[in-house]
Amino acid sequence: MVLIDMVPMNFNTLFEEHGLLLKIDKGNQIFQEGESADELFFIQKGSVQVSKETENGKELTLRICGPNSLLGECSIFELPGNHTMSAKALTNTELLTIKKSALEMLLTQQPSLMIEYIKWLQNEHLKTQSILRDLVMHGKKGALYSTLIRLANTFGKYDENENIYIDSNLTNSDIANLCSTSREMVNRMLNDLKKQGIISFDKSNITIHNLEYLKKEICCENCPLSICRID
């Protein structure tokens, strides 16, 4: 698998030239649901979990983002809104941040950058929409299978036998949060897939041996790799 750059190069330059550097220690919050969303974040180093708390208090992980990803729900050219999700550093993380007012001025001055920003917003909407679609339409098993496919598209590396090694140290609890189900349910389903030879795993590292099986089971629509991702 080839990792796809999540933002255009001119966005990298924008944050490098105008952004403020923030260093967040592992486990600390970057922003929380309900707080004012008045800035945008660009990840330089590290890993960030974006999640939402459900009505019954359960955490649903929507994204796991790495370097070269944008974070935030900054409403451009209107009154600031509030974050509908929370973001937490999974590792020691370095971010560049730009305030809403500064971003509006820069986008106004550079129409081509405005177009790239709109494209990014549209892509983020499609990613979230596809994740929620799979969670709702395909049940717990489908949620796990689609999550494994997205993890493969985001962190996957082919070995010499064309197996896909997911290069990310996610626990079964982390995967359960991505699937909106329990760790026990994920354990059972992963073990079933292992018995069938579809996957194998060593501690927290998963290798997928038959990606097509997972796709067939959920009637995969073969979305572009820019959408079928977990970041």
Side-chain angles (χ1 to χ4, degrees):
M1 293 288 171
V2 178
L3 293 182
I4 299 172
D5 288 340
M6 296 314 298
V7 295
M9 185 58 68
N10 50 4
F11 258 95
N12 296 23
T13 304
L14 174 72
F15 277 85
E16 289 169 359
E17 292 180 351
H18 302 281
L20 175 67
L21 178 64
L22 296 178
K23 295 185 178 181
I24 309 294
D25 291 334
K26 177 181 178 180
N28 287 349
Q29 295 289 138
I30 299 167
F31 55 80
Q32 288 186 297
E33 187 173 344
E35 293 180 345
S36 177
D38 63 349
E39 55 192 327
L40 202 64
F41 302 88
F42 175 79
I43 304 175
Q44 280 195 313
K45 298 179 182 178
S47 180
V48 175
Q49 170 187 291
V50 179
S51 60
K52 184 172 181 62
E53 188 171 305
T54 63
E55 291 183 358
N56 59 6
K58 182 176 177 59
E59 184 181 56
L60 170 61
T61 301
L62 294 172
R63 299 174 63 195
I64 296 177
C65 308
N68 204 33
S69 293
L70 285 177
L71 299 173
E73 301 167 90
C74 187
S75 300
I76 302 299
F77 304 116
E78 61 181 52
L79 293 175
N82 295 326
H83 286 292
T84 61
M85 295 173 280
S86 300
K88 178 177 69 176
L90 297 178
T91 62
N92 291 338
T93 299
E94 293 184 8
L95 306 157
L96 292 171
T97 177
I98 294 180
K99 288 289 187 180
K100 165 182 158 59
S101 56
L103 182 60
E104 289 172 344
M105 181 182 66
L106 292 165
L107 292 177
T108 301
Q109 294 171 347
Q110 303 180 56
S112 61
L113 198 61
M114 175 77 78
I115 293 172
E116 295 299 336
Y117 182 74
I118 292 172
K119 287 180 179 178
W120 173 75
L121 286 176
Q122 290 175 330
N123 200 67
E124 292 304 295
H125 173 71
L126 290 172
K127 282 197 293 185
T128 301
Q129 188 179 62
S130 69
I131 289 171
L132 295 178
R133 175 199 65 203
D134 289 341
L135 290 176
V136 171
M137 293 182 63
H138 299 301
K140 300 304 182 184
K141 182 181 289 188
L144 174 62
Y145 290 7
S146 64
T147 295
L148 290 174
I149 293 168
R150 287 186 172 86
L151 289 171
N153 290 340
T154 308
F155 303 111
K157 295 181 178 179
Y158 281 111
D159 63 18
E160 64 276 7
N161 298 315
E162 295 297 304
N163 299 312
I164 304 171
Y165 170 74
I166 298 176
D167 189 16
S168 181
N169 293 319
L170 294 174
T171 66
N172 285 5
S173 293
D174 294 329
I175 295 175
N177 286 341
L178 287 164
C179 301
S180 187
T181 190
S182 67
R183 180 175 59 84
E184 292 75 17
M185 176 73 74
V186 165
N187 288 345
R188 288 197 295 271
M189 291 190 291
L190 288 175
N191 282 319
D192 286 343
L193 288 173
K194 183 179 180 181
K195 290 176 183 177
Q196 297 176 64
I198 307 300
I199 68 169
S200 60
F201 45 84
D202 178 22
K203 296 181 180 179
S204 59
N205 297 115
I206 295 175
T207 298
I208 299 177
H209 304 288
N210 190 344
L211 186 66
E212 290 306 313
Y213 172 87
L214 300 177
K215 289 183 174 183
K216 182 179 178 181
E217 287 295 299
I218 63 168
C219 301
C220 177
E221 298 178 4
N222 289 312
C223 299
L225 292 182
S226 61
I227 295 173
C228 188
R229 301 173 61 83
I230 211 69
D231 58 359

